[in-house]
């Protein structure tokens, strides 16, 4: 009698485990699509970061040129006044 209870509990446990695994495995394609979307977003963000870095370098160059131009304007005004 005890052996049948043990066998019944083992079978019930296997059924519950199978149902849980089925629920997880049913979501695998959805999770795969989500991972692909995240990878595409990551690539887009990396491209955007590279563009932002280039823009920052260009901004620093323009700011340096503006500073030099301001110095030249100051020198020109000082010579005329």
């Amino acid at each position: 009698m005890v052996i049948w209870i043990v066998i019944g509990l083992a079978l019930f446990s296997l059924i519950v485990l199978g149902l849980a695994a089925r629920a997880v495995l049913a979501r695998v394609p959805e999770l795969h699509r989500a991972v692909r979307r995240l990878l595409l977003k990551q690539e887009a963000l990396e491209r955007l970061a590279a563009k932002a870095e280039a823009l920052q370098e260009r901004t620093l160059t323009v700011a340096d040129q503006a500073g030099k131009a301001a110095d030249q304007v100051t020198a020109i005004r000082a010579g005329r006044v």
Side-chain angles (χ1 to χ4, degrees), residues 62-78:
V62 170
D64 186 43
Q65 291 173 353
K68 289 178 184 177
D71 291 343
Q72 289 175 351
V73 167
T74 304
I76 291 171
R77 286 187 180 166

Side-chain angles (χ1 to χ4, degrees), residues 4-81:
W4 290 110
I5 293 173
V6 171
I7 291 173
L9 286 174
L11 287 176
F12 178 73
S13 299
L14 287 175
I15 290 172
V16 170
L17 179 63
L19 291 174
R22 180 177 169 255
V24 171
L25 292 176
R27 295 196 61 191
V28 168
E30 180 183 339
L31 293 173
H32 183 65
R33 284 190 299 273
V35 167
R36 277 194 319 203
R37 282 193 308 267
L38 288 174
L39 288 175
L40 290 174
K41 285 183 182 182
Q42 180 184 7
E43 290 173 2
L45 288 174
E46 288 173 355
R47 287 192 304 269
L48 186 60
K51 288 181 182 179
E53 185 177 334
L55 181 61
Q56 184 178 13
E57 290 175 8
R58 178 70 180 136
T59 303
L60 291 175
T61 303
V62 170
D64 186 43
Q65 291 173 353
K68 289 178 184 177
D71 291 343
Q72 289 175 351
V73 167
T74 304
I76 291 171
R77 286 187 180 166
R80 287 189 177 175
V81 173

